[in-house]
């Protein structure tokens, strides 16, 4: 039996449940990664255009949780919950994201941070429990556009930090 291509079946098995969004951000990898690690940063950029975030609890460590509300531009509040499942500074963050701790529809995301010259290439790879949940996220909640806008907000936020020279 051939061992070549063993990764292919696993990849194709989840392809219809995935969303992959990436962006090159003109800032050092450590700074882009740090923007995910502290609530003072996250509250400045997290979410699609027009959304704001209110954090109720935040502990950035494997097994830690981020409990927050996203406030939509139409005044709708969305209860959100993330638990960090793996953190490898400044390379990778894995998380489970749902509406609450017991959400059966929660989805897994892995964020990778790769140097790209002086910039950083961030990739957000999300896998939903079912194709239907992925399709609903795309069609009803505009997950692809929202993810792109969120990474755009991150890019603008860290660019401003670099511009001001207030990097910690």
């Amino acid at each position: 039996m051939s061992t070549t291509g063993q990764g292919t079946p696993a990849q194709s098995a989840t392809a219809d449940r995935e969303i992959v969004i990436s962006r090159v951000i003109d800032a050092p990898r450590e700074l882009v990664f740090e923007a995910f690690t502290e609530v003072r940063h996250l509250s400045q950029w997290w979410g699609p255009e027009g959304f704001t975030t209110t954090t109720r609890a935040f502990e950035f460590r494997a097994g830690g949780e981020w409990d927050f509300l996203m406030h939509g531009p139409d005044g709708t509040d969305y209860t959100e919950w993330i638990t960090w499942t793996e953190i490898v500074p400044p390379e990778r963050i894995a998380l489970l994201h749902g509406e609450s701790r017991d959400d059966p529809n929660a989805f897994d995301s892995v964020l990778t941070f790769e140097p790209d010259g002086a910039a950083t290439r961030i990739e957000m790879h999300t896998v939903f429990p079912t194709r239907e949940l992925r399709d609903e996220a795309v069609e009803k909640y505009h997950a692809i556009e929202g993810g792109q806008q969120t990474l755009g907000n991150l890019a603008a936020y860290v660019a401003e930090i670099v511009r001001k020279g207030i990097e910690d």
Side-chain angles (χ1 to χ4, degrees):
M1 183 172 178
S2 172
T3 58
T4 49
Q6 279 188 321
T8 305
Q11 291 168 358
S12 62
T14 61
D16 65 346
R17 299 186 285 129
E18 296 178 2
I19 296 174
V20 179
I21 299 168
S22 64
R23 183 178 183 116
V24 174
I25 296 176
D26 192 19
R29 176 167 77 160
E30 291 74 17
L31 177 59
V32 177
F33 187 89
E34 182 187 312
F36 276 89
T37 68
E38 297 180 21
V39 73
R40 69 185 174 98
H41 290 308
L42 280 164
S43 64
Q44 299 299 312
W45 64 266
W46 182 266
E49 300 286 328
F51 280 75
T52 59
T53 301
T54 300
T55 295
R56 298 187 288 206
F58 182 84
E59 187 177 10
F60 189 75
R61 64 170 179 79
E65 298 179 357
W66 181 22
D67 182 11
F68 60 104
L69 283 174
M70 288 181 60
H71 311 287
D74 65 355
T76 303
D77 286 340
Y78 301 90
T79 301
E80 302 286 329
W81 173 87
I82 286 176
T83 187
W84 317 104
T85 56
E86 180 187 22
I87 299 168
V88 183
E91 301 168 12
R92 174 182 162 100
I93 298 171
L95 57 93
L96 180 66
H97 185 164
E99 293 181 2
S100 65
R101 179 179 290 118
D102 301 320
D103 186 350
N105 298 329
F107 52 87
D108 292 298
S109 289
V110 175
L111 299 125
T112 54
F113 304 79
E114 293 294 327
D116 188 346
T120 303
R121 177 180 169 80
I122 184 171
E123 182 174 282
M124 188 167 32
H125 181 218
T126 300
V127 179
F128 290 82
T130 66
R131 185 183 75 222
E132 293 76 17
L133 287 168
R134 180 226 181 253
D135 291 348
E136 179 184 31
V138 169
E139 294 161 16
K140 183 176 179 184
Y141 298 107
H142 310 288
I144 294 171
E145 298 89 339
Q148 291 168 338
Q149 291 173 6
T150 297
L151 292 185
N153 291 342
L154 169 62
Y157 176 72
V158 296
E160 185 66 12
I161 290 175
V162 169
R163 190 185 70 73
K164 289 181 175 177
I166 58 171
E167 188 177 345
D168 290 334

